[in-house]
Amino acid sequence: MPSFSTEVKNELAHFNETNLCCINAELSALLRMNASFSLSTRHRLGINFITENAAVGRRVLAFVKGLCIDDIQTELVVKRSRRLHKNNQYTIRVIPSNAVTNLLETLGFISNDSFNMGKDNALLSKYCCKEAYLRGAFLGGGSVNRPDGGYHLELSTSNYEFSQQLLSLFKQFGFPVGHTSRKDKYVLYLKESEAIISFLRMIGAEEVLEDFESTRNLKEVRNQVNRLVNCETANLQKTVNAALRQVQNISKLLKAVDIKQLPLPLQETATARINNPDASLTELAEILHIGKSGVNHRLRKLETMALALKESE
Ligand SMILES: [Zn+2]
């Protein structure tokens, strides 16, 4: 199973960016994160970009090719990892040429014959470009935990000036950003689920967020339920476990089946269960204006449908 970071990056690496200003900004951040530059004997510059994510590598290659007007020569080197569960490493080499030197000048890496280490304000006058820049930084050097672990998103770089540029962007957007250093890296991080979700949404992730949010909701229900259980009896524990299981099964069912296709009584029961995850059977019976055994019967029916779904998968 790919890590959650990989899933997010795979989605972002296919984000359809059409603004030239934003492509410049995103590529600039990607290069700041993962590229080194080579100098030919004739003082022309080339690029070496290293990534573990093939989709990110392809995106960089497409951007560089798209932005260089003259022909450029590129090479792709894949270093396969010999260790299990370790990612391959992709190196994209762009051979030194005038076109690449011009591109790096346009992107602001070189100004007045000196190298700019990370002050990219010139590229970041518009909001769209700031967002694209952060997307590039995440694609190049970001990671995020799957929400069923602890909430944590971070960007790490060994380039101090670049880390300060990123820090100021996070602050401009009002994110509750923290920063620290780890070995030779400067690390910026977010720890709050809301901030992580809005950051990922801002830089263009959508599909991965659906899972993120539903897991988060489930986690909150579980916490709420745990609090209840601590001060109640073992009997309640059983009820609560059943309720949790029902919510999970019904959510799964509703992901696969449009709720409107269910018979009306089941629709009402499913909605009532999901909206009241910690209600007892008696309470659900009151909400639905039917007897307890009726509720029980309908819930069991919904769960049977969910289980049948799992088996047919
Ligand atoms: Zn832009």
Side-chain angles (χ1 to χ4, degrees):
M1 192 158 143
S3 72
F4 188 61
S5 293
T6 306
E7 283 176 34
V8 175
K9 286 182 190 178
N10 285 344
E11 186 187 345
L12 289 175
H14 293 98
F15 183 87
N16 186 14
E17 184 62 82
T18 48
N19 294 335
L20 188 59
C21 56
C22 297
I23 292 176
N24 279 325
E26 186 183 330
L27 179 62
S28 167
L30 275 160
L31 296 181
R32 293 249 177 248
M33 274 291 181
N34 289 342
S36 58
F37 304 98
S38 57
L39 190 64
S40 76
T41 46
R42 296 156 110 186
H43 299 289
R44 289 171 185 151
L45 286 163
I47 301 172
N48 293 317
F49 180 88
I50 299 179
T51 178
E52 290 187 349
N53 186 305
V56 172
R58 278 195 295 273
R59 187 168 177 86
V60 167
L61 201 55
F63 280 176
V64 171
K65 282 190 172 165
L67 292 174
C68 285
I69 298 158
D70 293 329
D71 270 355
I72 50 166
Q73 267 181 292
T74 58
E75 278 174 14
L76 174 67
V77 182
V78 184
K79 212 193 270 171
R80 296 201 185 279
S81 170
R82 265 176 252 150
R83 277 199 285 158
L84 198 63
H85 303 309
K86 273 294 227 173
N87 299 323
N88 292 338
Q89 200 183 63
Y90 303 88
T91 303
I92 288 158
R93 290 188 58 212
V94 190
I95 313 301
S97 70
N98 285 332
V100 180
T101 313
N102 292 340
L103 172 65
L104 292 175
E105 269 172 12
T106 311
L107 295 181
F109 282 82
I110 315 157
S111 54
N112 304 327
D113 279 343
S114 66
F115 202 78
N116 163 22
M117 286 304 290
K119 292 202 169 76
D120 287 329
N121 278 325
L123 286 176
L124 303 174
S125 55
K126 291 192 274 180
Y127 267 100
C128 58
C129 302
K130 292 178 184 182
E131 294 173 359
Y133 192 81
L134 288 171
R135 182 186 319 121
F138 184 84
L139 280 173
S143 68
V144 58
N145 283 3
R146 201 174 287 282
D148 46 8
Y151 298 118
H152 185 87
L153 178 147
E154 70 173 48
L155 298 178
S156 82
T157 170
S158 47
N159 177 339
Y160 176 74
E161 283 196 41
F162 177 49
S163 77
Q164 294 307 296
Q165 177 77 73
L166 292 173
L167 183 62
S168 104
L169 283 181
F170 269 105
K171 286 184 174 162
Q172 285 175 40
F173 282 110
F175 285 109
V177 58
H179 54 103
T180 181
S181 58
R182 197 185 297 140
K183 290 185 191 159
D184 57 342
K185 298 266 191 179
Y186 303 96
V187 180
L188 309 180
Y189 59 87
L190 299 175
K191 279 285 187 195
E192 289 164 31
S193 64
E194 276 309 320
I196 292 173
I197 288 174
S198 51
F199 177 80
L200 290 176
R201 181 162 291 138
M202 185 182 90
I203 62 176
E206 268 175 32
E207 282 167 37
V208 287
L209 283 182
E210 275 180 33
D211 279 353
F212 192 106
E213 289 190 308
S214 68
T215 313
R216 185 181 62 143
N217 292 342
L218 211 60
K219 199 158 132 186
E220 270 160 20
V221 170
R222 203 173 292 138
N223 288 342
Q224 203 177 343
V225 162
N226 282 342
R227 276 195 296 277
L228 276 174
V229 168
N230 286 340
C231 55
E232 290 286 349
T233 60
N235 211 6
L236 181 60
Q237 171 87 59
K238 262 197 227 159
T239 318
V240 154
N241 284 347
L244 252 187
R245 193 198 61 225
Q246 287 157 1
V247 170
Q248 265 172 316
N249 281 334
I250 293 173
S251 307
K252 255 182 215 145
L253 179 67
L254 296 186
K255 259 194 171 173
V257 178
D258 184 5
I259 190 167
K260 290 191 195 104
Q261 289 178 351
L262 301 174
L264 193 60
L266 292 187
Q267 287 183 29
E268 288 170 357
T269 312
T271 312
R273 174 79 287 176
I274 285 181
N275 290 343
N276 306 279
D278 47 8
S280 66
L281 268 194
T282 316
E283 285 163 333
L284 280 184
E286 275 169 27
I287 294 170
L288 291 165
H289 307 294
I290 55 170
K292 251 168 82 172
S293 67
V295 178
N296 209 359
H297 178 74
R298 289 184 190 176
L299 285 172
R300 226 180 292 154
K301 187 135 199 181
L302 284 164
E303 286 198 276
T304 314
M305 291 170 76
L307 289 175
L309 207 72
K310 261 192 234 165
E311 274 157 24
S312 68
E313 263 169 14

